[in-house]
């Protein structure tokens, strides 16, 4: 189905929710209004946090004008809640907290890595990504219920793309805030498959399947994903996600290839451009890429770089101009 066909099936969000779609470097943001207070879900990537703060301000002002009588003052951002631990979702936490003086709640499942600021567990330097360290004020416990945007949400564990991820489900409206556990077309890179534990890939595929099965048992009308547009027809999206998972299960080497392509495309968006001649040494300098190649493919740095360049040009994720690799803006 084309994009227009998909968009036509999306039920409108409740007016207390304000969705902000971003690109692939930054996660989407969701503003949830509760009277004169607002909650933000995910803060985006650190490189674009000024834009995030500006977009949140626009959303707050718009809501103040439309829904809160002028005499009652303005709407304030009082809470920030994260869906999971990755840099494109938590990278702006510190700056958003500074800008709005809001509290930060994180999934209880990621508390230990944030408390210790475990950059390896959070896939920061090890994957060539960045985030500003932040302090959190509380946690969202697995299976807990909480109010946001005047609606009751339940937090379900959604391991796979991130073993500490939660998704937030509103039964009353059939809404799911899915983070990167389910997109309209697939799900986020299965990063955890690339640890030192030999059985990790099979385990990660199995928990990802359990997560998708859990989501398919929910009574859903609309999904609010971490990337891409809000979508209806969750059955079709789940069918695509299961198809992708089946393909990874049949050919586990595909998992690593996908992780390298998607991970590098993200980093390229962050860097802006990279000299094609520097690609072999760049890949060798980032443990995430280097180790996937070493463990799974054993290519030379030059061959690994040549393969990756062919792949990302072929999928139109990037192009080469005057010796520079330029991202096209899509993952
Ligand atoms: Zn993401």
């Amino acid at each position: 189905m084309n994009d227009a066909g998909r968009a036509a099936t999306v039920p409108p969000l409740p007016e207390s929710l304000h969705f902000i779609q971003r690109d692939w470097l930054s996660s989407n943001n969701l503003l949830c209004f509760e009277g004169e207070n607002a909650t933000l879900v995910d803060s985006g990537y650190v490189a674009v946090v000024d834009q995030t703060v500006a977009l949140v301000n626009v959303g707050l002002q718009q809501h103040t004008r439309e829904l809160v009588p002028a005499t009652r003052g303005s709407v304030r951002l009082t809470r920030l809640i994260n869906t999971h631990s990755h840099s494109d979702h938590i990278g702006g936490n510190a700056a958003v907290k500074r800008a709005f003086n809001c509290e930060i709640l994180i999934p209880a499942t990621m508390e230990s890595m944030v408390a210790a600021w475990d950059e390896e567990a959070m896939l920061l330097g090890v994957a060539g990504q960045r985030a500003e360290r932040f302090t959190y004020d509380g946690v969202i416990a697995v299976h807990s219920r909480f109010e946001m945007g005047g609606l009751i949400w339940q937090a379900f564990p959604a391991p796979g793309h991130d073993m500490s991820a939660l998704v937030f489900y509103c039964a009353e409206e059939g809404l799911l805030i899915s983070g990167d556990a389910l997109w309209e077309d697939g799900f986020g890179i299965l990063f955890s498959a690339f640890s030192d534990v030999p059985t990790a890939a099979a385990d990660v595929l199995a928990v990802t399947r359990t997560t998708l099965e859990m989501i398919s048992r929910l009574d859903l009308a609309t999904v609010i994903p971490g990337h891409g547009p809000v979508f209806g027809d969750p059955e079709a999206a789940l069918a695509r996600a299961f198809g992708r998972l089946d393909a990874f299960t049949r050919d586990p080497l595909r998992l690593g290839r996908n992780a390298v392509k998607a991970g590098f495309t993200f980093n390229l968006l962050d860097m802006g451009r990279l000299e094609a001649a520097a690609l072999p040494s760049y890949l060798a300098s980032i443990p995430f890429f280097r180790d996937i190649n070493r463990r799974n493919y054993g290519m030379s740095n030059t061959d690994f770089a040549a393969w990756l360049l062919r792949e990302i040009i072929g999928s139109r994720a990037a192009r080469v101009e005057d010796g520079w690799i330029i991202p096209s803006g899509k993952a």
Side-chain angles (χ1 to χ4, degrees), residues 35-36 60-75:
E36 293 178 12
L60 294 175
Q61 285 159 15
Q62 197 180 331
H63 192 78
T64 299
R65 275 201 308 276
E66 286 173 6
L67 295 168
V68 180
T71 51
R72 289 176 54 207
S74 57
V75 180

Side-chain angles (χ1 to χ4, degrees), residues 27 84 88-89 161 180 227:
S27 68
H84 64 287
D88 54 326
H89 297 252
H161 163 69
D180 294 350
H227 300 270

Side-chain angles (χ1 to χ4, degrees), residues 169-171 173-175 215-222 234:
Y169 173 58
C170 171
E173 298 281 345
L175 291 172
I215 292 174
S216 51
R217 285 192 298 272
L218 301 174
D219 185 10
L220 282 185
T222 309

Side-chain angles (χ1 to χ4, degrees), residues 24-28 42 83-84 86-89 161 179-180 183 188 191 226-227 266:
W24 289 89
L25 179 60
S26 181
S27 68
N28 294 331
D42 285 340
T83 56
H84 64 287
H86 291 159
S87 65
D88 54 326
H89 297 252
H161 163 69
D180 294 350
W183 295 335
F191 285 108
H227 300 270
F266 179 89

Side-chain angles (χ1 to χ4, degrees), residues 121-287:
M122 295 171 78
L123 289 167
L124 295 172
V126 70
Q129 300 182 13
R130 304 178 281 141
E132 186 181 349
R133 186 168 184 169
F134 63 92
T135 53
Y136 63 98
D137 304 280
V139 298
I140 303 279
V142 172
H143 295 300
S144 65
R145 286 173 204 272
F146 60 98
E147 201 174 336
M148 184 165 72
L151 302 165
I152 302 296
W153 301 81
Q154 188 166 10
F156 289 113
H161 163 69
D162 177 349
M163 299 306 270
S164 71
L166 298 180
V167 293
F168 306 134
Y169 173 58
C170 171
E172 190 185 340
E173 298 281 345
L175 291 172
L176 184 73
I177 298 171
S178 64
D180 294 350
L182 179 67
W183 295 335
E184 187 170 27
D185 196 6
F187 43 77
I189 308 170
L190 298 182
F191 285 108
S192 315
F194 307 103
S195 71
D196 279 322
V197 184
T199 54
D203 287 350
V204 171
L205 290 167
V207 294
T208 303
R209 185 169 299 280
T210 305
T211 291
L212 292 176
E213 285 166 354
M214 178 276 290
I215 292 174
S216 51
R217 285 192 298 272
L218 301 174
D219 185 10
L220 282 185
T222 309
V223 179
I224 304 168
H227 300 270
V230 169
F231 58 91
D233 201 357
E235 293 79 10
L238 281 159
R240 284 187 287 271
F242 276 117
R244 195 173 182 78
L245 190 62
D246 290 342
F248 286 146
T249 307
R250 281 194 302 272
D251 177 10
L253 287 180
R254 184 170 166 167
L255 200 55
R257 293 196 295 267
N258 171 266
V260 171
K261 282 186 280 184
F264 176 73
T265 302
F266 179 89
N267 294 7
L268 186 62
L269 285 169
D270 187 16
M271 293 185 285
R273 61 181 193 166
L274 179 70
E275 235 179 332
L279 185 58
S281 56
Y282 173 80
L283 293 174
S285 73
I286 306 289

Side-chain angles (χ1 to χ4, degrees), residues 35-104:
E36 293 178 12
N37 297 328
T39 300
L40 179 69
V41 178
D42 285 340
S43 66
Y45 193 60
V46 67
V48 291
V49 71
D50 289 348
Q51 187 186 29
T52 303
V53 168
L55 289 166
V56 168
N57 268 319
V58 168
L60 294 175
Q61 285 159 15
Q62 197 180 331
H63 192 78
T64 299
R65 275 201 308 276
E66 286 173 6
L67 295 168
V68 180
T71 51
R72 289 176 54 207
S74 57
V75 180
R76 283 186 56 231
L77 186 75
T78 51
R79 268 191 318 188
L80 164 59
I81 295 178
N82 293 120
T83 56
H84 64 287
S85 69
H86 291 159
S87 65
D88 54 326
H89 297 252
I90 56 98
N93 276 18
V96 166
K97 190 172 190 169
R98 264 198 308 278
F100 298 100
N101 193 27
C102 59
E103 64 171 1
I104 295 179

